[in-house]
Amino acid sequence: MRLPVFGAVLALVVPLTPTAHASAPPIAWAACAPARPGFECATFTVPLDHDDPRGRKIDVALTRRPATDRAGRIGSLLFNPGGPGASGIDAVWAWGEKMSAGVQGRFDVVGFDPRGIGRSNPLRCFATPQEQAAFLAAGPIFPYEPAQERPFFDRYRSLAARCDQPIARHMSTADVVRDLDLLRRALGDRRITYFGTSYGSYIGTTYANMFPGNVRALAIDGVLDPELWSSGRQISSDRVATAEVLDEFFRLCDEAACPFGPHSGQRWQALLASVRAEPIALGSEVWTYDMVVQHALLAGFASERWIDIATVLDRLSDASAGLSVRSAPAYDNFFDANLGTMCADTEFPRTFGAYRAISHYAAAGSEFGPYWWWSTSACADWPVNPDRYTGPWRARTSAPVLVVGNHFDGSTDFRGAQAVARQLPNSRLLAYAGWGHIAYRRSQCAIEAIHAYLLDGTLPAAGTVCPANPNPFLDTASQLADRDFRRSTGPVASR
């Protein structure tokens, strides 16, 4: 269905074909730091511009958990946790042992920081952490009053000049995918075995369409619809997905008599009205409207944190006045890299008028729509990468693709998984009927299905739906999720 505003403001994009590869250099693995026993580290050299394979080179940082069953080793399992901007190295250090055990020790589990991210020639738009903190603190997390919109847009739009570095012009997902295929060859694998979650699903989907004949096993979990992401229409999902999860949060809260109940949905609307009229003091902090919306948005990511979220909302609802100081976030490359990848991949509007018009569409979906939308104004003057991939998205891969989605995911809504399962003719959809972002973090049924597929290509039966875990407000001990879920320090939530 044609969206009323987007059709007028988004430029047409032309599909690109994969660029011919440079040669794949060998990888020299060595033990990582003593704090990472059992892991090896290396760097891998790739062209900055794949159209110029003999030109400037950059390094991609790698880590691996070597296969424990050396005699039965199948190859390498490459993993990306998403973001865009999250470190695949940190993720494998956190999850590598679990993944290795799940595939019976028969793979080297390999993590990589994609170009421009973490340890791989990181894009840095600020000279110091203090400079980044000052930029983020200079305005709201997202504009929620008309008078805030133009200053926010102008401030974020200025990031294009601040971030203008060679790596920023070569950070599209297609660039990452070309790096990934070079890495596959350097690792000695005839075809790739890949697992990507959240934005890592978009890397996987793009690889499946650019190199469909090179797939051994490709699993994606927490799935973005590539037609929405690449065209700039992701807001059509974002404006409703988080609110759908919050409706479940309220339903299950009332069912379990959680701290924010009873009538939690009504209390939420009253809280929004109150904090919009006047900030709320809670302990040593002053909470503004944008901060309250950001806090509730976490419900769409981590069901294991629902009691904590409900407790804070309950305290905010009961609070009335006071003063406080807002602490500055720590600096890392996530904020910069997130924008670097998103702006390279997608042709966003160029004018304030277009951004304001789409913000009305976003807000009509839910109070979370503007949160997701306004940060993309950093892309208004950002050069779109000419080597990005914009489709088609319907390649038949050399092996089936496993597509995994949660029914209630506030970041990558279930409709994204359904869309990719329709787009890729050689794919199988596995659903998790519960709440939260990424089934691999919370559903034992999904975890076992993903491991079985990566190990030997075994697919779950068509139509399989993994049952939801117990009501998160009633049985937090049963949750399988990552308790160290990382809240983004900036106004762009991780995917």
Side-chain angles (χ1 to χ4, degrees):
M1 181 178 69
R2 185 169 180 264
L3 300 177
V5 177
F6 286 107
V9 298
L10 294 180
L12 293 175
V13 290
V14 179
L16 297 174
T17 55
T19 304
H21 266 324
S23 59
I27 300 173
W29 295 99
C32 296
R36 303 295 176 188
F39 289 90
E40 296 176 340
C41 291
T43 57
F44 178 65
T45 302
V46 297
L48 173 66
D49 183 351
H50 282 276
D51 289 332
D52 183 15
R54 293 182 177 84
R56 180 175 171 180
K57 302 294 192 294
I58 59 173
D59 290 330
V60 173
L62 309 171
T63 193
R64 73 175 176 182
R65 177 82 176 180
T68 53
D69 181 0
R70 303 306 297 177
R73 180 183 177 277
I74 297 172
S76 296
L77 165 58
L78 288 98
F79 174 67
N80 182 273
S87 167
I89 289 177
D90 291 344
V92 165
W93 284 346
W95 291 78
E97 290 187 41
K98 172 183 176 178
M99 289 184 180
S100 180
V103 293
Q104 301 175 15
R106 298 185 65 192
F107 287 91
D108 298 334
V109 180
V110 177
F112 62 99
D113 285 358
R115 54 170 58 211
I117 293 170
R119 301 161 184 85
S120 298
N121 292 88
L123 173 66
R124 292 191 62 144
C125 304
F126 304 91
T128 65
Q130 292 76 21
E131 191 177 292
Q132 188 202 50
F135 178 90
L136 294 173
I141 296 170
F142 64 92
Y144 53 93
E145 298 290 355
Q148 298 170 335
E149 292 177 346
R150 184 78 204 211
F152 186 96
F153 175 80
D154 289 341
R155 189 163 56 92
Y156 266 68
R157 188 178 192 173
S158 72
L159 286 169
R162 185 190 291 264
C163 304
D164 188 12
Q165 301 163 26
I167 189 65
R169 297 176 179 271
H170 300 280
M171 282 184 65
S172 74
T173 301
D175 288 317
V176 174
V177 162
R178 294 179 180 105
D179 294 344
L180 201 58
D181 201 57
L182 275 177
L183 177 58
R184 170 194 64 79
R185 295 165 57 195
L187 292 169
D189 292 341
R190 188 170 67 89
R191 290 178 173 169
I192 200 169
T193 302
Y194 174 84
F195 179 34
T197 61
S198 197
Y199 163 76
S201 75
Y202 186 69
I203 295 175
T205 302
T206 304
Y207 187 96
N209 283 278
M210 289 179 65
F211 300 101
N214 294 350
V215 174
R216 177 198 165 271
L218 194 152
I220 50 178
D221 179 5
V223 180
L224 289 166
D225 181 343
E227 292 183 340
L228 296 184
W229 181 270
S230 63
S231 67
R233 293 184 292 117
Q234 181 62 36
I235 189 61
S236 66
S237 167
D238 291 339
R239 75 189 194 114
V240 296
T242 306
E244 289 172 348
V245 180
L246 206 65
D247 287 342
E248 282 289 288
F249 175 93
F250 297 144
R251 180 180 73 82
L252 294 170
C253 172
D254 291 347
E255 180 182 290
C258 91
F260 195 49
H263 311 300
S264 55
Q266 296 174 26
R267 290 192 75 193
W268 168 248
Q269 292 302 324
L271 172 59
L272 288 183
S274 174
V275 74
R276 190 152 197 163
E278 183 178 359
I280 296 173
L282 185 63
S284 62
E285 288 189 307
V286 169
W287 288 68
T288 52
Y289 175 87
D290 53 328
M291 295 170 68
V292 173
V293 169
Q294 183 185 54
H295 181 74
L297 182 138
L298 288 175
F301 283 82
S303 56
E304 68 279 2
R305 295 186 61 180
W306 278 11
I307 289 180
D308 295 336
I309 294 167
T311 299
V312 171
L313 294 178
D314 178 56
R315 293 174 62 199
L316 285 167
S317 186
D318 290 341
S320 58
L323 296 173
S324 89
V325 210
R326 187 172 166 190
S327 59
Y331 181 85
D332 65 23
N333 167 247
F334 180 88
F335 174 77
D336 316 57
N338 185 285
L339 296 177
T341 301
M342 180 171 64
C343 299
D345 273 347
T346 305
E347 182 76 36
F348 283 100
R350 298 296 182 184
T351 67
F352 171 68
Y355 266 88
R356 172 175 273 176
I358 294 175
S359 78
H360 295 160
Y361 167 76
S366 76
E367 58 270 27
F368 300 100
Y371 174 97
W372 289 107
W373 172 244
W374 275 104
S375 64
T376 69
S377 56
C379 303
D381 281 345
W382 204 291
V384 176
N385 192 319
D387 291 332
R388 67 193 176 118
Y389 183 81
T390 60
W393 301 103
R394 287 165 171 76
R396 178 171 290 277
T397 49
S398 51
V401 171
L402 178 61
V403 181
V404 185
N406 294 0
H407 280 182
F408 299 99
D409 183 331
S411 177
T412 51
D413 117 35
F414 185 60
R415 288 179 282 267
Q418 292 174 308
V420 173
R422 288 193 301 269
Q423 291 159 6
L424 293 176
N426 195 11
S427 64
R428 177 68 51 83
L429 177 63
L430 172 67
Y432 165 55
W435 316 273
H437 183 45
I438 304 171
Y440 192 78
R441 286 183 170 179
R442 43 192 45 86
S443 167
Q444 189 61 34
C445 163
I447 290 168
E448 292 174 359
I450 291 168
H451 286 160
Y453 164 76
L454 293 171
L455 187 61
D456 59 17
T458 300
L459 290 168
T464 297
V465 178
C466 290
N469 289 335
N471 182 329
F473 290 113
L474 294 172
D475 189 6
T476 57
S478 71
Q479 298 307 305
L480 300 169
D482 176 11
R483 298 281 176 169
D484 296 323
F485 173 80
R486 186 175 79 129
R487 181 177 178 176
S488 150
T489 58
V492 182
S494 171
R495 295 190 194 271

